Amino acid sequence: DEYQWKGPFYFIQGADPQFGLMKAWAVGDTNNGDDEWGEEIKLTEQAVQAINKLNPKPKFFVLCGDLIHGMPGTQWRKDQEQDLKSVLKNTDQDIPLVFVSGNHDIGNTPTRETIDNYCKNWGDDYFSYWVGGVFFLVLNSQLYFDSSKCSELKQAQDVWLSEQLAVAEKRKCKHIIVFQHIPLFLRKPDEDHDYFNLEKSVRQELMEKFHKAGIKAVFSGHYHRNAGGSYRGLEMVVSSAIGCQLGEDPHGLRAVVVTEEKIVHRYYSLNELSSQGIEKELLDMLATQN
């Protein structure tokens, strides 16, 4: 049923609730300072309440990685995961949750074990699904960042991705949209590589593959600021965090409207979304074509 286009819809994208980072960042100890996350609990509760109030309901709520701050094997990780799950359990049961793995969820240099643990807790680290004629791909971007300890898992994802893109082509989907934690790039496709984007040759290969497949947009987090740019018709959308902000943006979420022709999105502060919901202009796009 979901292979068929049924008219415009929208979803909500969030990123980096990262329970524990705000305290760690404030005390200047990002390795051990994550022993409190009351602030993040409040923000994520506000996000869930805002989403639950939206009318019409979003098709799903995707969280683009760094669910918690504690790296694999660190002291507070289990408690952070437990508290995040408790908050997310209150999401309206008609709004599916989609989880994307971030570097804090599986480690900067993931291993088979850290990925297995993530999968036990949150579901697969990469997968695809259909919503109303649109094909969504969730990728494990850490395998593109550093797969030195699990190269066979990166190869498996590569093979799978090629197969999925072949399926999408056969099915004649309306759009293909990708979710991953680490952005391909922050502003320009040829910018230098640093902690917040993918290495240039890896990035180039992915951008070409995505462009050839007709992928319209890649949504990510990781940067804790809003950013983005485009490469040959492929839009790179970088959303700021629900949790700790590293720039001037407010804690927030992104609403993404998918119409037959295009993908339109806007970032809202949690306060804005809580008090006013989604602006009329986006709601009108949902109404006009139904």
Side-chain angles (χ1 to χ4, degrees), residues 65-80:
D66 281 1
L67 307 173
I68 50 150
H69 183 66
M71 286 278 188
T74 56
Q75 188 177 358
W76 305 107
R77 183 178 172 91
K78 285 260 182 296
D79 294 342
Q80 289 168 0

Side-chain angles (χ1 to χ4, degrees), residues 175 177 216-217 219 235 256-259 261-265:
H175 304 288
I177 294 174
K216 294 279 174 62
F219 289 88
E235 191 182 5
V256 185
V257 174
V258 183
T259 74
E261 286 83 39
K262 55 191 178 181
I263 295 155
V264 180
H265 51 87

Side-chain angles (χ1 to χ4, degrees), residues 145-211:
F145 193 82
D146 182 0
S147 62
S148 56
K149 290 191 176 158
C150 56
S151 57
E152 76 288 355
L153 297 182
K154 178 190 181 289
Q155 280 170 329
Q157 178 172 256
D158 286 342
V159 169
W160 171 87
L161 178 57
S162 297
E163 287 166 354
Q164 295 297 305
L165 294 176
V167 166
E169 191 177 16
K170 248 197 213 100
R171 285 264 178 200
K172 299 282 179 271
C173 53
K174 279 286 174 223
H175 304 288
I176 311 173
I177 294 174
V178 171
F179 298 120
Q180 57 187 58
H181 178 61
I182 300 180
L184 298 164
F185 58 89
L186 299 173
R187 292 196 168 80
K188 297 193 172 109
D190 60 349
E191 70 198 13
D192 287 342
H193 165 57
D194 67 19
Y195 175 77
F196 287 112
N197 60 21
L198 291 179
E199 194 271 316
K200 273 181 157 180
S201 63
V202 175
R203 179 197 315 168
Q204 188 59 41
E205 193 181 324
L206 276 173
M207 289 189 309
E208 263 310 298
K209 185 179 269 195
F210 290 175
H211 165 69

Side-chain angles (χ1 to χ4, degrees), residues 110-131:
T111 63
R112 183 176 279 282
E113 187 191 14
T114 64
I115 291 174
D116 281 349
N117 283 337
Y118 169 86
C119 294
K120 280 194 196 92
N121 255 309
W122 302 103
D124 291 339
D125 59 322
Y126 58 88
F127 55 96
S128 64
Y129 59 99
W130 289 81
V131 176

